Amino acid sequence: MANPKVVIIGAGIVGTSLADEMTARGWADITVLDRGPLFRTGGSTSHAPGLVFQTNPSKTMTEFARYTTEKFGALDHSDGRAFDPVGGLEVATTPDRWRDLHRKAGWAQSWGIEGRLLDASECAALFPLLDIDQVIGGFHTPADGLANALNAAAAQARAATSRGARFLPNQEVLGIAESGGRVVGVRTADGVLAADIVVCAAGFWGAELARKVGLVVPLVPMAHQYAKTGPLAALADRSRAASLPILRHQDQDLYFREHGDRMGIGYYGHAPMPVDMSTLESATAGEAMPSMLPFTEADFAPAWRESMTLLPALGDSKPEEGFNGIFSFTPDGFSIMGEHRDLAGFWVAEAVWVTHSAGVAKATAEWIIDGAPGTDVHECDLYRFEDVARSGEFIMQTSSQAFVEVYDIIHPHQYRTALRGLRTSPFYGRQQELGAFFFEGGGWERPAWYEINAALAQRLRDDGLPFPVRDEWSSKFWSPIAVAEAHWTRERVAMFDMTPLTRYEVAGPGALELLQRLTTNNLDKSVGSVTYALLLDETGGIRSDLTVARLGPQRFQVGANGPLDFDWFSRHLPTDGSVLLRDITGGTCCIGVWGPNARDLVQPLCSDDLSHQSFKYFRALHTHLGAIPVTMLRVSYVGELGWEIYATAEYGNALWDLLWAAGAAHEVIAAGRIAFNSLRVEKGYRSWGTDMTAEHLPAAAGLDFAVRMTKPDFIGKSALEQAAPPGKLLRSIVFESPSAIVLGKEPVYLDGSCAGYVTSAGYSATLGRCIAYAWLPAAVDVGDTVEVDYLGSRYPATVHTEPVVDPEMSRIKR
């Protein structure tokens, strides 16, 4: 699009950052509107405390924060700095928090953030107001600091204006003008402002505005307490507004920053205070700061007590002013970015805190202008949510829970407790009878292990099977039963509930052409073929991986990863109606039957020949098991003989019971997700979103076997043709010690320096040791030794060929 007209709604920190990023890339016809004055507009930016802590469990959010610190640190403003790199200090007052700080130190190393763990005396030296007796230790990140959001907004707006952008205050957006499925303008009281692209960066107002164009933006405006003390003797005669590091006391949901000779205190320990936007709009009409609600002193009383305990110098003062400031919270804590699927040109960049603002703006500008962001943004994508997560009740409950947990210690396998049981397979009742412990994913209840197998675990232990000794942290949401389930799958046979695997039907005369254009592999094969393929973006990055079964000349079943894949397919459907795309997940069910005894279990139930010669690996068959019509795919994510067996949902209970009864003679068990994960890691099978994302090319992820460069064309092909050899590769590593356990995101060291990070891991019942994937420099070779840091301890591991278990694939192809 040549010289497009862009309107950005919102002149807060996101809108101004975006205008700067877009004009820096050569787009000059940009107008930024705001309902308030410039640049203290009355939104969250106007009162944001400005703490920028870069370290985050998400690599993406860390990259956003790092870019924000770098960019803001280089900005100039006549009223002072836009960013003050005073550093950040998180303190631990409990053993659990001290362990968590070790985990954060690992994330910092993994993502390239400078940081160091300190003892209590070192913490007090950095922040003399601390009561050293309250502190066990701390984590110091010297590049973190304080952003002056208003100065940063004004400085970026000035830069954008110098390149042609304009900023219009006091412009209430009344609606979006559209024509033919595209935005054509923004409607204000002064008329329609023409636009080819509209970006909603309206902060907590954004969800209401998006609703006017039929778009759900899952965020909840939430009030959060912030107070300032009176003058403190300990902070008198300060030459700078802030010199102490920003301080977080997450054990009590508190953070602190200087304001000259006063201390600012933020508090997340109160009950969630969701804001009704319709009430807010009417109650604050005409107010300069509608985002600042009256301070509720009673809610702050516990915060003040705990603040004085940690910082006794506060006892000479009291909270002299405060407010309840409105911020946006989302169900999963991530920002929301992307283009409206049904209204081309309408984009959102919402639920963005100052911490990540410049990074989000940069990625949004790249996405709009270049076609893909330079940072993987799948965690922030507007269309990442399942339908259930887009309901008002779900958004409210989960966003409120996100507020409660904002400073909590969250285990990577910890799942929400509210709104459970919303999506269950037809086998759910049978799984409950077997004592399933359920994880949750995409709204689905997914068995992690089955308590009925505890006796099997004890039996195997008595027979000499080694079981790992795990520490308290890695033992959470885990059971040794999962080791027994994985071992039994390799030795006998197991049934896995694969129903939550997302699957689509792609059908019609244009189905093959569409799939050939979207995927990397050749799908023009015979009916009954099954093909593993990748979805790439325009830069060649891996958007997803798929298993595609050709069930008819014009009908395909696609095993996908989630809503983002449906969004990608939908955006590329031909306009002539020649392709029908349906999500068939909820109307179908699937049982994976895998193990050496799988054929002995299933063959007596089927009149078709299931031998290896007649039903080869990566083939599909429509048949019957007993009286039940099924589609069987000879694929195996666990690396054993067997099938994914699909049926429509009404046959679910009957299918489970049929296989369970037939399996009794073959010692079948039900096995859960933890065993499933460990088995797939043994076999070198990747998990998209964990092991690889859009920031990785297929060759780097070890998936170039799924790319057919001989195809005439597919999305991402031209980028692959021009790609340089990858600098890092995804490798399997095997730990030397049976006691070494990692969970993912730990830093990996080579010759004493951090060289990469772990993506996913699993304890191998076959080897009796933990296996992990890690991104490592391409120069690292098989047989090289690395070290992985787990909560401050280093464990040696060896880079291994893949797959680690059964490299000849003899167990699958028999």
Side-chain angles (χ1 to χ4, degrees), residues 1-6 26-29 196-197:
M1 187 182 296
N3 302 314
K5 295 181 181 294
V6 179
W27 284 23
D29 194 351
D196 302 301
I197 293 172

Side-chain angles (χ1 to χ4, degrees), residues 9 95 105 113-114 144 234 245 253 268 370 407 479 514 538 649 801:
I9 302 171
I113 302 297
E114 181 185 358
D144 291 347
D253 300 301
Y268 286 105
D370 303 328
Y407 276 178
S479 170
L514 173 68
E538 290 81 356
T801 55

Side-chain angles (χ1 to χ4, degrees), residues 548-628:
V548 184
R550 190 170 195 177
L551 303 181
Q554 298 181 355
R555 185 166 67 92
F556 298 80
Q557 178 174 302
V558 177
N561 283 296
L564 291 179
D565 295 332
F566 192 86
D567 178 55
W568 188 251
F569 273 79
S570 298
R571 292 179 187 273
H572 292 88
L573 288 175
T575 58
D576 60 5
S578 62
V579 179
L580 172 67
L581 171 67
R582 290 197 305 143
D583 186 335
I584 60 172
T585 311
T588 54
C589 59
C590 178
I591 299 175
V593 179
W594 291 304
N597 294 346
R599 186 175 285 116
D600 295 335
L601 189 162
V602 179
Q603 181 64 85
L605 305 175
C606 185
S607 59
D608 285 297
D609 185 358
L610 304 183
S611 68
H612 180 64
Q613 294 73 24
S614 297
F615 191 176
K616 294 186 180 298
Y617 190 56
F618 262 65
R619 295 292 296 178
L621 174 69
H622 184 70
T623 184
H624 288 77
L625 297 185
I628 302 170

